[in-house]
Coordinates of all heavy atoms in Angstrom, one line a residue:
G53 N 0.7 38.5 -7.4 CA -0.7 38.2 -7.7 C -1.1 36.8 -7.5 O -0.2 35.9 -7.4
W54 N -2.3 36.5 -7.5 CA -2.9 35.2 -7.2 C -2.6 34.2 -8.3 O -2.3 33.0 -8.1 CB -4.4 35.2 -7.0 CG -4.8 35.6 -5.6 CD1 -5.3 36.8 -5.1 CD2 -4.6 34.8 -4.4 NE1 -5.5 36.8 -3.8 CE2 -5.1 35.5 -3.3 CE3 -4.2 33.5 -4.2 CZ2 -5.1 35.0 -2.0 CZ3 -4.2 33.0 -2.9 CH2 -4.6 33.8 -1.9
E55 N -2.6 34.7 -9.6 CA -2.3 33.8 -10.7 C -0.9 33.2 -10.6 O -0.7 32.0 -10.8 CB -2.5 34.5 -12.0 CG -2.4 33.6 -13.2 CD -2.6 34.4 -14.6 OE1 -3.4 35.4 -14.6 OE2 -2.1 33.9 -15.5
Y56 N 0.1 34.0 -10.3 CA 1.5 33.6 -10.1 C 1.5 32.5 -8.9 O 2.1 31.5 -9.1 CB 2.3 34.8 -9.7 CG 3.8 34.4 -9.4 CD1 4.7 34.2 -10.4 CD2 4.2 34.3 -8.1 CE1 6.0 33.9 -10.1 CE2 5.5 33.9 -7.8 CZ 6.4 33.7 -8.8 OH 7.7 33.4 -8.4
F57 N 0.8 32.8 -7.8 CA 0.8 31.9 -6.7 C 0.2 30.6 -7.1 O 0.7 29.5 -6.7 CB 0.1 32.5 -5.5 CG -0.1 31.5 -4.4 CD1 1.0 31.1 -3.6 CD2 -1.4 30.9 -4.2 CE1 0.8 30.1 -2.6 CE2 -1.5 29.9 -3.2 CZ -0.4 29.5 -2.4
R58 N -0.9 30.7 -7.8 CA -1.6 29.4 -8.2 C -0.7 28.5 -9.2 O -0.7 27.3 -9.1 CB -2.9 29.6 -8.9 CG -4.0 30.3 -8.1 CD -4.5 29.3 -7.0 NE -5.4 30.0 -6.2 CZ -5.6 29.8 -4.8 NH1 -4.8 28.9 -4.2 NH2 -6.5 30.4 -4.2
K59 N 0.1 29.2 -10.0 CA 1.1 28.4 -10.8 C 2.2 27.8 -9.9 O 2.5 26.6 -10.1 CB 1.7 29.3 -11.8 CG 0.8 29.7 -12.9 CD 1.4 30.6 -14.0 CE 0.4 31.0 -15.1 NZ 0.9 32.0 -16.0
L60 N 2.7 28.5 -8.9 CA 3.7 27.9 -8.0 C 3.0 26.7 -7.2 O 3.7 25.7 -7.1 CB 4.0 29.0 -6.9 CG 5.1 30.0 -7.2 CD1 5.3 30.9 -6.0 CD2 6.4 29.3 -7.6
E61 N 1.7 26.9 -6.9 CA 1.1 25.9 -6.1 C 0.9 24.6 -7.0 O 1.2 23.5 -6.5 CB -0.3 26.4 -5.8 CG -1.1 25.6 -4.8 CD -2.4 26.3 -4.5 OE1 -3.2 26.7 -5.4 OE2 -2.7 26.5 -3.3
S62 N 0.6 24.7 -8.2 CA 0.5 23.6 -9.1 C 1.9 22.9 -9.3 O 1.9 21.6 -9.3 CB 0.0 24.0 -10.5 OG -1.4 24.5 -10.4
K63 N 2.9 23.7 -9.5 CA 4.2 23.1 -9.6 C 4.7 22.4 -8.4 O 5.2 21.3 -8.5 CB 5.2 24.2 -10.0 CG 6.6 23.8 -10.3 CD 7.5 24.9 -10.7 CE 8.9 24.5 -10.9 NZ 9.8 25.6 -11.1
M64 N 4.4 23.0 -7.2 CA 4.8 22.3 -5.9 C 4.1 21.0 -5.7 O 4.6 20.1 -5.2 CB 4.5 23.3 -4.8 CG 5.0 22.8 -3.4 SD 6.8 22.5 -3.4 CE 7.5 24.2 -3.5
L65 N 2.8 21.0 -6.2 CA 2.0 19.7 -6.0 C 2.8 18.6 -6.7 O 2.9 17.5 -6.1 CB 0.6 19.9 -6.6 CG -0.3 18.6 -6.6 CD1 -0.6 18.3 -5.2 CD2 -1.5 18.9 -7.5
R66 N 3.2 18.8 -7.9 CA 3.9 17.8 -8.7 C 5.3 17.5 -8.1 O 5.8 16.3 -8.0 CB 4.0 18.2 -10.1 CG 2.7 18.0 -10.8 CD 2.5 19.0 -12.0 NE 1.1 18.8 -12.6 CZ 0.0 19.3 -12.0 NH1 0.0 20.0 -10.9 NH2 -1.1 19.1 -12.6
T67 N 5.9 18.5 -7.6 CA 7.3 18.4 -7.0 C 7.3 17.5 -5.7 O 8.2 16.7 -5.5 CB 7.9 19.8 -6.6 OG1 7.9 20.6 -7.8 CG2 9.3 19.7 -6.0
V68 N 6.3 17.7 -4.9 CA 6.3 16.9 -3.6 C 5.6 15.6 -3.7 O 5.7 14.8 -2.7 CB 5.7 17.8 -2.5 CG1 6.4 19.1 -2.3 CG2 4.2 18.1 -2.7
S69 N 4.9 15.3 -4.7 CA 4.1 14.0 -4.8 C 5.1 12.9 -5.0 O 5.8 12.7 -6.0 CB 3.2 14.1 -6.0 OG 2.2 15.1 -5.8
Q70 N 5.1 12.0 -4.0 CA 5.8 10.7 -4.0 C 5.0 9.7 -3.2 O 4.2 10.1 -2.4 CB 7.1 10.9 -3.4 CG 8.1 11.9 -4.1 CD 9.4 12.0 -3.4 OE1 9.8 11.1 -2.6 NE2 10.2 13.0 -3.7
H71 N 5.3 8.5 -3.4 CA 4.7 7.4 -2.6 C 5.0 7.6 -1.1 O 6.1 8.1 -0.8 CB 5.2 6.0 -3.0 CG 4.6 5.6 -4.4 ND1 3.2 5.6 -4.7 CD2 5.2 5.1 -5.5 CE1 3.0 5.2 -5.9 NE2 4.2 4.9 -6.4
E72 N 4.1 7.1 -0.3 CA 4.3 7.1 1.1 C 4.4 8.6 1.6 O 5.2 8.9 2.5 CB 5.4 6.2 1.6 CG 5.1 4.8 1.3 CD 6.1 3.9 2.0 OE1 6.9 4.3 2.9 OE2 6.1 2.7 1.5
R73 N 3.6 9.5 1.1 CA 3.5 10.8 1.5 C 2.1 11.2 1.8 O 1.2 10.8 1.0 CB 4.0 11.8 0.5 CG 5.6 11.8 0.5 CD 6.1 13.1 0.1 NE 7.6 13.1 0.2 CZ 8.4 13.9 -0.4 NH1 8.0 14.8 -1.3 NH2 9.7 13.8 -0.1
V74 N 1.9 12.0 2.8 CA 0.6 12.7 3.1 C 0.8 14.1 2.7 O 1.7 14.8 3.3 CB 0.2 12.5 4.5 CG1 -1.1 13.3 4.8 CG2 0.0 11.0 4.9
I75 N 0.1 14.6 1.7 CA 0.3 16.0 1.3 C -0.9 16.8 1.6 O -2.0 16.6 1.1 CB 0.5 16.0 -0.3 CG1 1.8 15.1 -0.5 CG2 0.7 17.4 -0.8 CD1 2.0 14.8 -2.0
S76 N -0.7 17.8 2.4 CA -1.7 18.8 2.8 C -1.7 19.9 1.7 O -0.6 20.5 1.5 CB -1.5 19.4 4.2 OG -2.3 20.5 4.4
T77 N -2.7 20.0 1.0 CA -2.8 21.0 -0.1 C -3.4 22.4 0.4 O -4.1 22.4 1.3 CB -3.6 20.5 -1.3 OG1 -5.0 20.4 -0.9 CG2 -3.1 19.2 -1.8
G78 N -3.0 23.4 -0.3 CA -3.6 24.7 0.0 C -5.1 24.6 -0.4 O -5.5 23.8 -1.2
G79 N -5.9 25.4 0.3 CA -7.4 25.4 0.1 C -7.9 25.6 -1.3 O -8.8 25.0 -1.7
G80 N -7.0 26.4 -2.1 CA -7.4 26.6 -3.4 C -6.8 25.7 -4.4 O -7.0 25.9 -5.6
M81 N -6.1 24.7 -4.0 CA -5.4 23.7 -5.0 C -6.5 23.1 -6.0 O -6.2 22.9 -7.1 CB -4.8 22.6 -4.2 CG -4.0 21.6 -5.0 SD -2.4 22.4 -5.7 CE -1.4 22.3 -4.2
V82 N -7.7 22.9 -5.5 CA -8.7 22.3 -6.3 C -9.3 23.2 -7.4 O -10.0 22.8 -8.3 CB -9.9 21.8 -5.5 CG1 -9.4 20.7 -4.6 CG2 -10.6 22.9 -4.7
L83 N -8.9 24.5 -7.4 CA -9.4 25.4 -8.4 C -8.9 25.1 -9.8 O -9.6 25.4 -10.8 CB -9.1 26.9 -8.0 CG -9.7 27.4 -6.8 CD1 -9.1 28.8 -6.4 CD2 -11.2 27.5 -6.9
S84 N -7.8 24.5 -9.9 CA -7.2 24.1 -11.2 C -7.7 22.6 -11.5 O -7.5 21.7 -10.8 CB -5.7 24.1 -11.1 OG -5.2 23.3 -12.2
P85 N -8.4 22.5 -12.7 CA -8.8 21.2 -13.2 C -7.7 20.3 -13.3 O -7.7 19.0 -13.0 CB -9.5 21.5 -14.5 CG -9.9 22.9 -14.5 CD -8.9 23.6 -13.6
E86 N -6.5 20.8 -13.7 CA -5.3 20.0 -13.9 C -4.8 19.4 -12.5 O -4.4 18.2 -12.4 CB -4.1 20.8 -14.5 CG -4.4 21.2 -15.9 CD -5.2 22.4 -16.1 OE1 -5.4 23.2 -15.1 OE2 -5.8 22.6 -17.2
N87 N -4.9 20.2 -11.5 CA -4.5 19.8 -10.2 C -5.5 18.7 -9.6 O -5.1 17.6 -9.1 CB -4.5 20.9 -9.1 CG -3.4 21.9 -9.4 OD1 -2.4 21.6 -10.1 ND2 -3.4 23.0 -8.8
R88 N -6.8 18.9 -9.9 CA -7.7 17.9 -9.5 C -7.5 16.6 -10.2 O -7.5 15.5 -9.5 CB -9.2 18.3 -9.7 CG -9.6 19.5 -8.8 CD -11.1 19.8 -8.9 NE -11.7 20.0 -10.2 CZ -11.7 21.1 -10.9 NH1 -11.2 22.2 -10.4 NH2 -12.3 21.2 -12.1
H89 N -7.3 16.6 -11.4 CA -7.0 15.4 -12.3 C -5.7 14.8 -11.8 O -5.6 13.5 -11.6 CB -6.9 15.8 -13.7 CG -6.7 14.6 -14.6 ND1 -7.7 13.7 -14.9 CD2 -5.6 14.2 -15.2 CE1 -7.1 12.7 -15.7 NE2 -5.8 13.0 -15.9
Y90 N -4.7 15.6 -11.6 CA -3.4 15.0 -11.1 C -3.5 14.3 -9.8 O -3.0 13.1 -9.7 CB -2.4 16.2 -10.9 CG -1.0 15.7 -10.5 CD1 -0.1 15.2 -11.5 CD2 -0.7 15.6 -9.2 CE1 1.2 14.8 -11.1 CE2 0.6 15.2 -8.8 CZ 1.5 14.7 -9.7 OH 2.7 14.2 -9.3
M91 N -4.2 14.9 -8.8 CA -4.4 14.2 -7.5 C -5.2 12.9 -7.7 O -4.8 11.9 -7.1 CB -5.0 15.2 -6.5 CG -4.1 16.3 -6.1 SD -4.8 17.3 -4.8 CE -6.2 18.2 -5.6
Q92 N -6.2 12.9 -8.5 CA -7.1 11.7 -8.7 C -6.3 10.6 -9.3 O -6.4 9.4 -9.0 CB -8.3 12.0 -9.5 CG -9.3 12.9 -8.8 CD -10.4 13.3 -9.7 OE1 -10.2 13.9 -10.7 NE2 -11.6 12.9 -9.3
Q93 N -5.4 11.0 -10.2 CA -4.6 10.0 -11.0 C -3.4 9.4 -10.2 O -2.8 8.4 -10.5 CB -4.1 10.6 -12.3 CG -5.2 10.9 -13.3 CD -6.1 9.7 -13.7 OE1 -5.6 8.7 -14.1 NE2 -7.4 9.8 -13.4
N94 N -2.9 10.2 -9.2 CA -1.7 9.9 -8.6 C -1.8 9.6 -7.1 O -0.7 9.5 -6.4 CB -0.7 11.1 -8.8 CG -0.3 11.1 -10.2 OD1 0.5 10.4 -10.7 ND2 -0.8 12.1 -11.0
G95 N -3.0 9.4 -6.6 CA -3.1 9.0 -5.2 C -4.6 9.0 -4.7 O -5.5 8.8 -5.6
I96 N -4.8 9.1 -3.5 CA -6.1 9.0 -2.9 C -6.4 10.5 -2.3 O -5.5 11.1 -1.6 CB -6.2 8.0 -1.7 CG1 -6.0 6.6 -2.3 CG2 -7.5 8.1 -1.0 CD1 -6.0 5.5 -1.2
V97 N -7.5 11.0 -2.7 CA -7.9 12.4 -2.3 C -8.9 12.3 -1.1 O -9.9 11.7 -1.3 CB -8.4 13.2 -3.4 CG1 -8.8 14.6 -3.0 CG2 -7.5 13.2 -4.7

Side-chain angles (χ1 to χ4, degrees):
W54 278 107
E55 189 177 331
Y56 175 83
F57 173 73
R58 294 293 178 216
K59 286 179 181 170
L60 276 181
E61 191 175 53
S62 295
K63 185 178 178 188
M64 187 59 70
L65 176 66
R66 285 151 182 79
T67 301
V68 301
S69 295
Q70 294 180 20
H71 286 310
E72 296 190 15
R73 282 211 172 156
V74 175
I75 300 168
S76 169
T77 65
M81 186 70 77
V82 298
L83 293 173
S84 160
E86 292 82 17
N87 290 346
R88 294 193 306 271
H89 181 75
Y90 180 86
M91 290 186 291
Q92 289 174 302
Q93 296 302 308
N94 292 283
I96 295 175
V97 183

